[in-house]
Amino acid sequence: MSIETRLAELGVTLPDAPAPAANYVPFVRTGSQLFVSGQLPKGEGGLVVGKLGADLDVTAGAAAARDCAINLIAQLKAGCDGDLDRLVRVVKLVGFVNSTPNFADQPAVINGASDFMVEVFGDKGRHARSAVSAGALPFNVAVEIEAIFEIE
């Protein structure tokens, strides 16, 4: 089954790959690796903002991480010239969680992205990962996630 078909089964329509908000490129390909810059949780309702442990709970944070994953896949599609089936595997996700000093559930928040990658890509979506706290993130977003993909 193609990845586009799988996304359609999940009811997911990829947005256009978000343009960079500053002086950087959205992705860099070197050899068979595609490095995607940090993606923000922008869905149909706009940016998900707030601090985990104060403004948002784990469920809302995981939903924001899923939005980041959708934007990562949109960048992957752009980096693969529109052909998501060129994906070999998701290599690594690095997730940053805008959280209070006492919030310790960053892994549960980033699971929203990790689970989505496996849901979309199956075993190709299993990856190495970091999930870390951040005192603040751009635009006060709840989560930012970057990725490394292996592509053909």
Side-chain angles (χ1 to χ4, degrees):
M1 167 187 324
S2 78
I3 294 169
E4 294 280 355
T5 300
R6 180 65 181 142
L7 287 166
E9 283 182 354
L10 295 171
V12 174
T13 301
L14 292 178
D16 291 334
N23 188 16
Y24 63 91
V25 294
F27 57 82
V28 170
R29 180 174 181 182
T30 180
S32 64
Q33 292 188 323
L34 187 74
F35 293 78
V36 178
S37 297
Q39 298 297 298
L40 304 181
K42 185 174 183 182
E44 293 179 15
L47 287 173
V48 179
V49 298
K51 193 171 284 287
L52 277 291
D55 309 312
L56 302 168
D57 63 14
V58 171
T59 301
R66 183 181 186 276
D67 288 343
C68 291
I70 290 169
N71 290 322
L72 286 166
I73 295 170
Q75 293 292 359
L76 169 65
K77 183 174 180 177
C80 289
D81 301 319
D83 185 3
L84 285 171
D85 292 317
R86 291 177 56 194
L87 176 76
V88 174
R89 77 167 303 139
V90 180
V91 176
K92 185 171 186 179
L93 298 182
V94 179
F96 303 93
V97 180
N98 183 1
S99 53
T100 62
N102 295 329
F103 184 82
D105 287 331
Q106 290 82 7
V109 170
I110 301 304
N111 279 346
S114 293
D115 293 346
F116 187 70
M117 291 294 181
V118 173
E119 190 175 16
V120 172
F121 301 121
D123 283 340
K124 291 180 182 182
R126 298 194 185 284
H127 53 273
R129 185 183 88 178
S130 298
V132 298
S133 179
L137 289 172
F139 310 110
N140 195 37
V141 294
V143 182
E144 179 175 353
I145 303 175
E146 61 184 51
I148 303 169
F149 297 101
E150 182 181 356
I151 60 174
E152 295 178 332

